[in-house]
Amino acid sequence: MTGPVGNKFVFTSSDDALKSHQFKPIIYIFGERSIFEVHDARHKLVRGAITGFLWPESLQRSIPLMSSLVKQYLVKEVEGKESVIGLIMLKRIAFMVSCALLFSLTNDEETDTLFDEFSLLVKGLWAIPIYLPFTIHYRAIAARRRIYDRFSTILDERRQRLEDGSVNPNDDVFATMLSIRDEEGRALPRQEIIDNLITIVFASHDTSMSLNASFVRRLAMDEVTLERVYEGCVKIGYTLDRIRVIVGIYLRLTHDNLSHMYNILKM
């Protein structure tokens, strides 16, 4: 069962009709209480909190901020360098944008540290789960503990700010996860919140990085495709100078800009 019918079955069937469990290495990395491991009403509760940030209206409002952040981090990554490793640069930029948009983490030193820790963590997904000091699995679990401790500190800070009213529950994922309540009016346990935060950080930037890296690689290696993309921009009035203005400081990207660019990329 695939396609729309399969999606409808998965997302609209009764709570006990379908359940999933991940392999042990994935549970070790994302946690026993991540959205991959909870079911029934609990799964719907957590999924609703996460997807609230992914509605088209929310994403459209975030496009100007994303444009500004990408430009800022891109300049930071290439300034003063004759060459850069494209994959690592794109991965770091995607990670920093995700941290800023979803978690309100904008401190460069903090996000750089988290990026390094998550890079170790992801390697553990494909490692043999042998817990010995010289193994990748061991280093990944150690990175998860450090991420857990840092997120725990941020949660305490965000909870205090929620209580004094300096932030509201819809400001970021930290605040939302702290604010949601189950059917009995209880808040989510700390472990469940952090397990899902780790999962969200991974999911929010990894696929975007892969897509961007593949796209840039294609343009770099295929002059015909690069020329077609440029010609498409010119046809709809987006000359190279105009594109530079759009992604510049004075005029940031909008949803309409991205719609035009999407039509180009479909060629």
Side-chain angles (χ1 to χ4, degrees):
M1 189 181 297
T2 60
V5 175
N7 291 338
K8 184 176 181 180
F9 173 74
V10 170
F11 292 112
T12 64
S13 60
S14 61
D15 291 341
D16 57 355
L18 184 67
K19 294 183 179 180
S20 66
H21 292 282
Q22 300 296 320
F23 294 111
K24 279 293 184 182
I26 296 179
I27 296 176
Y28 293 146
I29 297 302
F30 292 140
E32 297 178 349
R33 299 298 298 171
S34 76
I35 193 171
F36 297 132
E37 296 302 312
V38 296
H39 306 101
D40 305 335
R42 199 66 163 195
H43 180 90
K44 291 182 178 178
L45 178 69
V46 175
R47 189 179 71 197
I50 295 172
T51 56
F53 285 86
L54 303 178
W55 289 109
E57 295 81 5
S58 299
L59 293 176
Q60 288 178 21
R61 289 194 297 269
S62 299
I63 287 173
L65 176 58
M66 282 191 282
S67 172
S68 177
L69 289 171
V70 169
K71 177 180 173 57
Q72 172 188 336
Y73 292 132
L74 185 61
V75 170
K76 176 186 173 184
E77 291 295 319
V78 303
E79 192 172 22
K81 301 177 183 177
E82 294 185 359
S83 64
V84 295
I85 300 176
L87 180 62
I88 296 176
M89 180 188 72
L90 292 172
K91 186 174 183 179
R92 185 181 292 274
I93 290 174
F95 181 84
M96 290 181 171
V97 170
S98 294
C99 285
L101 288 177
L102 298 179
F103 305 102
S104 302
L105 300 177
T106 56
N107 182 280
D108 288 348
E109 183 177 349
E110 181 172 52
T111 52
D112 283 342
T113 300
L114 284 173
F115 175 80
D116 293 337
E117 300 290 15
F118 269 95
S119 297
L120 286 173
L121 186 75
V122 170
K123 293 179 181 178
L125 290 174
W126 324 116
I128 299 173
I130 299 176
Y131 192 71
L132 292 174
F134 57 83
T135 63
I136 294 175
H137 176 74
Y138 180 92
R139 292 195 292 269
I141 297 301
R144 175 188 157 80
R145 283 198 297 267
R146 292 190 293 269
I147 294 169
Y148 188 101
D149 291 342
R150 181 56 193 140
F151 277 5
S152 183
T153 300
I154 295 173
L155 278 178
D156 291 336
E157 295 171 353
R158 203 59 49 86
R159 182 181 287 108
Q160 181 61 46
R161 294 179 65 188
L162 278 169
E163 291 174 356
D164 62 28
S166 58
V167 299
N168 72 66
N170 297 319
D171 281 351
D172 57 34
V173 178
F174 277 111
T176 296
M177 297 294 280
L178 284 169
S179 301
I180 61 175
R181 298 292 184 270
D182 62 17
E183 59 274 10
E184 297 180 5
R186 296 175 300 188
L188 297 182
R190 181 182 297 266
Q191 179 184 346
E192 187 166 354
I193 293 176
I194 295 179
D195 285 353
N196 282 291
L197 290 172
I198 291 173
T199 303
I200 293 168
V201 172
F202 170 78
S204 65
H205 83 281
D206 190 72
T207 50
S208 299
M209 177 275 299
S210 300
L211 174 62
N212 290 335
S214 298
F215 176 65
V216 172
R217 181 177 183 272
R218 177 64 182 272
L219 292 182
M221 299 182 65
D222 189 339
E223 293 184 4
V224 175
T225 300
L226 178 61
E227 185 64 24
R228 287 180 60 190
V229 170
Y230 176 73
E231 289 176 357
C233 290
V234 173
K235 284 181 181 179
I236 63 171
Y238 281 76
T239 63
L240 190 56
D241 289 338
R242 175 62 173 165
I243 294 173
R244 286 171 177 160
V245 170
I246 290 176
V247 299
I249 297 174
Y250 301 106
L251 180 59
R252 296 179 294 181
L253 280 172
T254 66
H255 181 255
D256 290 340
N257 299 145
L258 291 187
S259 297
H260 285 300
M261 293 179 183
Y262 174 73
N263 291 332
I264 294 170
L265 299 179
K266 286 171 60 178
M267 297 169 46

